[in-house]
Amino acid sequence: MSSQEEILYKLIQGEKGNAWVTLDALWNLEAYFAGNITACDWKYVICDPFSKSVTGLTITNESALVQLEATIPSEFGLLKSLTTLNLEGNKIYGTIPKEIFSNLPELVYLDLSRNNLEGTLPTLTKSLENLRTLEISTNRLAGTIPYEIGDILQSLEKLDLSHNGFVGTIPKVIAKCKQLGYLDLSTNMLDGTIPKEIGGLKNLKGLFLNDNKLVGTIPYTIARSDLPLIQIFLQHNDLSGTVPAALGDISTLASLFVDGNKLTGDIPADLCRRSPFLNGEFFQGDFAKVERDGCTSISCPVDSVSREGVAPCFPCDNGQFRYLGMEHEKCKNITERDVLNTFFDETAGPHWYDSLGWGLDDVDYCDWVGVDCGPNGNVVNITLQGMNLQGRIPSELGLLTHLKVLDLSDNKLTGYLPSDLRFTLLEYLDISGNKLRGIVPPLLCTKDINCNGPDGDFDCDYIACPVGTYSTLGYMSQAQDANGDINYVSQCVVCNDESAKYLGMKTCSSPIIIGSLDYNAAKNITAGIALLVSFFLLAVLCISERNRRRAKTLREVAAEETLTLEHTDFDYETEDALPVKDSPPKGESPENDHPQLIILSEAPREAPARGNNNNGRDGDSENELWLDVPNII
């Protein structure tokens, strides 16, 4: 078996490794073999004073004279006494060996941040039960955040996976990490909603979820007066609703950044009245003399624009800048022709199968192929089914306030479904048969699109089948029979494999078996009939349903921010926790350009801040609307 000196020396690889050990580390393997020294005498190595076992290896950008360029040897898994492994700020490349996550039962501190690591996180095992700090930020890692994180890393105090390429949702079981005080998942490609269970982390001081693709509302559970939160960074997502007023009850709060989302309303008065103003760390240096008040320090209001989303703010009262903290250089009127041109550009218009009229200034846009206008010349219908559209669905479509029909089915669209569509008059929406990720934005699910909301029971499946499911139409639809009973024309059914990995899937290579007939076979029998009658049934049912509902009290419009995304409760009283560490960075890129508040004694890392506006009512509203949305795990 290799000695611990030989194992450590495997970190020395190639000419650059030899240069590093010669100019900096001065590790001498020959002297070890001669019996003159041990690894305990080497620079950057820490040993137990009694057993002489290696317990720590710390080679960081700050401590080393030369950056180390190497892969992490899998043999490091043989250093059974290792408690600390810190290789932050070097040029470590390759993947993280699974042995690091499976063979080091004493490991307490692991920092591999600011390197060039690739691949996915290895499988979490019980050998990591003692881990208290996991920092792997600013690498090139991908994949999902392991669901097992809540069951295994329950001693974790600090988790930093920021500035990587992680996808999927934030596991709600992360709330089982009872000691967690610092959570940074910023600058990834995470989607779904913010789990309300995060509010059960009673010692959470820093929450950094900015620069992702998160949708839904800000959970009222994180706006609790008994939470010790100091920093909340949620900027640059697709969050909707309002800023919860109860955030003003968190006495420790010093930084709140929520700009660059789809939030409406005003900044809660209690937050505006804070003295000193929130986000003081942002308004330093060149920003120190910016004219601001307690509200604009958090976010510029609706109907204004700003370069940074916070003060200075400039009025733009044209009804098109409807969100808090909108980041634009200037106020601009966006016409319906502008919106359609943007849509054409964003969806690879020149490659459509038929783009007659699109983009031509001398052709009325109402005459463009697939576009219909109403009597007043406003766009009411865009139908471009199977036209080879590619790219994203631009959020600017939400400015087509008279739009009633949008059919973009059976194309090659990617990205996410914009929540801005809730500002249209949509009655029919079909985005099935594309490659859209994430979930249907919850506030879009409150609209009576595709006959959604019978009896006030709204379900996102009416908009599109969630990832992991499919149906004949790509969404759920229903109709009433002669007796007035609801019959489903198309239901979203769980797919047994990963083929249904997009929103609005119509097929499944491994469907659920129904008796002796698989679901694919069953649906094919009725597919033709369903497709022929679906539009008629939808129209008839929607008209009657709308008339009935309009006679009722519109209780579902009461409070956007109080949408309860799941019907299960979370017991916060059983969640104990431990203190937190330092504070995380915020911003558009790893090179953050704004300072960040220090939570404990560690040096601050630079991070760009953002602000937000909102008339937050908290989640205690009596008018709470229940939505059936996919479980986010």
Side-chain angles (χ1 to χ4, degrees):
M1 175 182 275
S2 299
S3 65
Q4 56 185 10
E5 289 77 9
E6 291 174 291
I7 292 172
L8 289 172
Y9 211 82
K10 288 184 178 295
L11 199 58
I12 313 306
Q13 302 163 13
E15 293 182 2
K16 293 182 178 180
N18 289 328
W20 177 81
V21 78
T22 301
L23 297 174
D24 189 348
L26 305 178
W27 293 358
N28 192 326
L29 198 58
E30 292 181 359
Y32 159 71
F33 286 128
N36 298 327
I37 61 173
T38 68
C40 301
D41 302 308
W42 288 356
K43 188 177 180 181
Y44 306 128
V45 178
I46 300 174
C47 291
D48 181 274
F50 302 105
S51 67
K52 303 301 181 183
S53 298
V54 172
T55 59
L57 177 63
T58 300
I59 307 170
T60 69
N61 186 44
E62 293 182 355
S63 63
L65 299 175
V66 181
Q67 285 182 309
L68 174 63
E69 185 170 345
T71 60
I72 302 174
S74 60
E75 289 84 354
F76 272 22
L78 299 174
L79 300 173
K80 300 294 185 181
S81 299
L82 197 65
T83 62
T84 298
L85 178 58
N86 187 352
L87 301 178
E88 178 266 334
N90 284 284
K91 295 181 179 179
I92 307 299
Y93 60 94
T95 60
I96 302 174
K98 64 180 186 299
E99 290 80 3
I100 301 296
F101 278 32
S102 60
N103 293 346
L104 300 176
E106 303 299 323
L107 195 62
V108 172
Y109 186 96
L110 178 61
D111 188 349
L112 304 176
S113 57
R114 299 202 301 127
N115 282 289
N116 297 314
L117 292 167
E118 299 177 326
T120 61
L121 288 179
T123 302
L124 301 179
T125 67
K126 289 188 177 297
S127 68
L128 294 177
E129 285 181 330
N130 294 315
L131 194 65
R132 297 173 65 185
T133 296
L134 177 58
E135 296 193 58
I136 319 182
S137 65
T138 317
N139 280 285
R140 301 174 184 175
L141 297 171
T144 58
I145 300 174
Y147 182 81
E148 301 80 14
I149 191 169
D151 295 321
I152 294 173
L153 303 185
Q154 295 190 7
S155 297
L156 206 61
E157 297 176 9
K158 181 175 182 178
L159 176 62
D160 189 349
L161 304 180
S162 63
H163 293 96
N164 279 289
F166 290 108
V167 298
T169 59
I170 301 173
K172 63 183 179 181
V173 294
I174 205 166
K176 290 185 178 181
C177 300
K178 300 177 182 180
Q179 318 298 341
L180 202 59
Y182 178 108
L183 176 61
D184 191 349
L185 305 178
S186 64
T187 318
N188 281 286
M189 294 184 287
L190 298 171
D191 53 47
T193 59
I194 300 175
K196 68 178 187 295
E197 287 81 2
I198 286 179
L201 297 171
K202 292 187 175 180
N203 285 317
L204 192 64
K205 295 184 178 181
L207 176 62
F208 309 93
L209 304 178
N210 56 286
D211 294 277
N212 282 290
K213 293 292 183 180
L214 300 171
V215 298
T217 57
I218 299 174
Y220 65 88
T221 55
I222 69 171
R224 300 170 56 207
S225 60
D226 59 336
L227 290 179
L229 279 163
I230 297 174
Q231 295 174 288
I232 303 176
F233 283 30
L234 303 176
Q235 72 269 22
H236 300 148
N237 281 289
D238 289 317
L239 298 171
S240 52
T242 59
V243 178
L247 286 172
D249 297 332
I250 304 177
S251 61
T252 53
L253 192 63
S255 299
L256 173 64
F257 296 115
V258 289
D259 63 289
N261 282 287
K262 306 294 176 66
L263 296 162
T264 55
D266 299 314
I267 294 296
D270 285 345
L271 290 172
C272 296
R273 287 194 291 262
R274 283 293 182 90
S275 180
F277 298 151
L278 293 183
N279 303 336
E281 291 292 311
F282 177 79
F283 293 97
Q284 295 183 358
D286 294 340
F287 293 90
K289 296 182 180 180
V290 168
E291 184 177 348
R292 61 191 176 100
D293 57 30
C295 291
T296 57
S297 295
I298 299 171
S299 169
C300 288
V302 171
D303 294 327
S304 70
V305 295
S306 167
R307 180 181 177 185
E308 296 287 349
V310 294
C313 311
F314 304 96
C316 189
D317 192 11
N318 61 8
Q320 295 183 333
F321 292 82
R322 51 173 70 110
Y323 302 124
L324 295 170
M326 294 194 72
E327 298 173 11
H328 288 269
E329 293 291 336
K330 60 182 180 180
C331 182
K332 177 185 177 183
N333 263 330
I334 303 173
T335 66
E336 290 198 338
R337 180 181 287 270
D338 293 333
V339 172
L340 293 176
N341 280 330
T342 298
F343 178 78
F344 186 69
D345 293 338
E346 294 286 349
T347 57
H351 299 285
W352 294 3
Y353 293 142
D354 185 359
S355 59
L356 184 64
W358 282 80
L360 299 179
D361 293 337
D362 57 347
V363 178
D364 188 336
Y365 58 79
C366 295
D367 295 326
W368 293 358
V369 67
V371 177
D372 291 322
C373 294
N376 296 324
N378 300 116
V379 175
V380 297
N381 184 331
I382 300 177
T383 298
L384 296 168
Q385 179 185 22
M387 294 283 281
N388 198 39
L389 276 63
Q390 305 171 44
R392 70 180 186 94
I393 301 175
S395 60
E396 287 83 355
L397 286 182
L399 296 175
L400 300 177
T401 54
H402 295 81
L403 187 65
K404 294 184 177 181
V405 175
L406 180 62
D407 186 350
L408 306 178
S409 59
D410 300 325
N411 283 290
K412 300 175 183 177
L413 295 169
T414 55
Y416 303 87
L417 182 62
S419 66
D420 309 72
L421 293 175
R422 72 184 188 272
F423 293 107
T424 67
L425 299 177
L426 275 178
E427 298 174 0
Y428 177 75
L429 172 64
D430 191 350
I431 49 89
S432 63
N434 284 284
K435 295 183 178 181
L436 298 173
R437 296 186 178 275
I439 66 171
V440 176
L443 290 187
L444 191 59
C445 300
T446 66
K447 301 296 182 180
D448 54 353
I449 300 170
N450 300 349
C451 290
N452 193 7
D455 299 320
D457 184 18
F458 289 87
D459 193 327
C460 293
D461 287 9
Y462 283 96
I463 311 298
C465 288
V467 173
T469 68
Y470 73 110
S471 78
T472 304
L473 301 176
Y475 56 89
M476 182 168 68
S477 65
Q478 63 181 23
Q480 289 179 320
D481 60 20
N483 298 321
D485 296 326
I486 297 294
N487 291 318
Y488 289 99
V489 176
S490 176
Q491 278 188 287
C492 300
V493 179
V494 175
C495 187
N496 274 340
D497 61 16
E498 296 183 358
S499 63
K501 56 185 177 181
Y502 303 114
L503 276 178
M505 294 291 291
K506 298 180 179 180
T507 59
C508 173
S509 60
S510 181
I512 297 291
I513 302 300
I514 306 175
S516 60
L517 191 66
D518 69 47
Y519 186 78
N520 268 339
K523 73 180 181 65
N524 286 336
I525 295 175
T526 59
I529 298 174
L531 288 171
L532 286 173
V533 302
S534 59
F535 289 102
F536 175 76
L537 292 173
L538 283 170
V540 172
L541 181 59
C542 283
I543 291 171
S544 61
E545 181 65 20
R546 281 197 194 96
N547 290 337
R548 184 182 65 79
R549 270 187 276 166
R550 283 168 184 165
K552 296 167 50 179
T553 301
L554 297 179
R555 58 183 173 81
E556 64 269 16
V557 185
E560 286 179 332
E561 78 282 5
T562 61
L563 293 176
T564 303
L565 299 180
E566 295 178 281
H567 296 273
T568 57
D569 293 324
F570 187 74
D571 183 7
Y572 299 106
E573 299 307 315
T574 61
E575 303 294 311
D576 20 280
L578 255 152
V580 340
K581 297 288 186 182
D582 58 19
S583 71
K586 299 296 52 50
E588 305 97 358
S589 68
E591 295 79 24
N592 293 315
D593 55 336
H594 301 302
Q596 186 174 20
L597 188 67
I598 305 175
I599 290 183
L600 289 186
S601 59
E602 300 182 29
R605 299 184 300 177
E606 293 186 354
R610 294 289 181 275
N612 183 352
N613 255 0
N614 214 316
N615 276 338
R617 292 166 295 188
D618 61 24
D620 298 326
S621 169
E622 295 178 359
N623 300 308
E624 195 168 70
L625 175 63
W626 291 87
L627 280 184
D628 290 322
V629 299
N631 274 337
I632 307 301
I633 61 174

